Amino acid sequence: EEGQPEDFPVCVPIATQSCHAVGVAYAMKYRGQSRAVVTTCGDGATSKGDFYESINVAGVMNLPVVFVVNNNRWAISVPLDKQTAATSIASKAEAAGIDGYRVDGNDPVAVYQVVQEALERARGGGRPAIVEAVTYRLCDHTTADDASRYRDQDEFEAARELEPLLRFRRLLESAYAWTEEDERSL
């Protein structure tokens, strides 16, 4: 049914979901639908050929697709500065001729607003975009990973203070008088 969200299953190979998203966005444009595709990946995926090819095709064909990148600063154990020379993930949009936005990924309200605006532009005229949500991975990448081997403990502790759910809870408490009872009820 038109207007209903549709989801693809999780894609295990890194960045191939970008190619799928571009194909679906092309189908939507071809059919004249005022819809848009959202695809997500991590910062490491933006260094893969599939990602570059996808943003390039999206730009050339002006497809209604938004690439949301979770920049948690680590591609498994590889820090961001060792995987890309780009000044930001959002700046990679320039090479593809698409819009690029950088947002505080620890601020759920800001992320929601930026993604919604990008989606409206995509739906309204097929304007593709990259939305880089800058955050920090607080856990190990997998059960086989030990992030304490490569991550600075002080950096980790500073990032914990900005954790999105705690931050959102503080917003609810201060702006909406959110209480423990509200949380238990929810």
Side-chain angles (χ1 to χ4, degrees):
E1 182 177 318
E2 185 78 22
Q4 294 298 312
E6 299 174 80
D7 298 325
F8 277 60
V10 172
C11 190
V12 176
I14 298 171
T16 57
Q17 67 271 31
S18 300
C19 301
H20 304 155
V22 166
V24 172
Y26 178 80
M28 289 175 178
K29 182 175 182 173
Y30 179 80
R31 293 175 181 161
Q33 298 171 319
S34 60
R35 299 176 71 187
V37 177
V38 176
T39 186
T40 63
C41 65
D43 50 273
T46 69
S47 295
K48 299 278 291 181
D50 294 294
F51 181 81
Y52 282 108
E53 293 163 15
S54 296
I55 64 172
N56 185 62
V57 169
V60 168
M61 301 184 85
N62 202 34
L63 298 176
V65 60
V66 177
F67 302 88
V68 178
V69 180
N70 176 20
N71 178 1
N72 64 34
R73 305 178 203 172
W74 294 97
I76 307 179
S77 61
V78 180
L80 187 63
D81 66 342
K82 299 283 190 241
Q83 61 172 301
T84 185
T87 57
S88 70
I89 302 299
S91 70
K92 293 181 178 192
E94 185 176 347
I98 66 177
D99 296 334
Y101 304 95
R102 196 166 204 231
V103 63
D104 179 351
N106 291 328
D107 183 344
V109 175
V111 171
Y112 178 81
Q113 181 178 2
V114 170
V115 171
Q116 287 304 311
E117 290 172 6
L119 277 170
E120 285 306 311
R121 281 190 291 281
R123 284 185 198 111
R127 192 81 192 126
I130 294 173
V131 175
E132 174 188 8
V134 181
T135 187
Y136 192 87
R137 177 169 39 87
L138 295 174
C139 56
D140 294 333
H141 186 264
T142 67
T143 56
D145 182 35
D146 178 7
S148 68
R149 293 179 300 120
Y150 54 83
R151 188 168 56 192
D152 178 81
Q153 189 61 28
D154 291 337
E155 179 182 79
F156 171 76
E157 291 300 329
R160 283 176 59 128
E161 295 300 314
L162 301 173
E163 197 278 329
L165 293 177
L166 296 175
R167 188 171 174 179
F168 191 62
R169 182 178 186 194
R170 287 191 294 265
L171 169 69
L172 290 173
E173 289 170 347
S174 66
Y176 301 102
W178 185 258
T179 66
E180 288 285 334
E181 184 177 317
D182 292 327
E183 190 161 331
R184 279 192 301 274
S185 174
L186 178 65

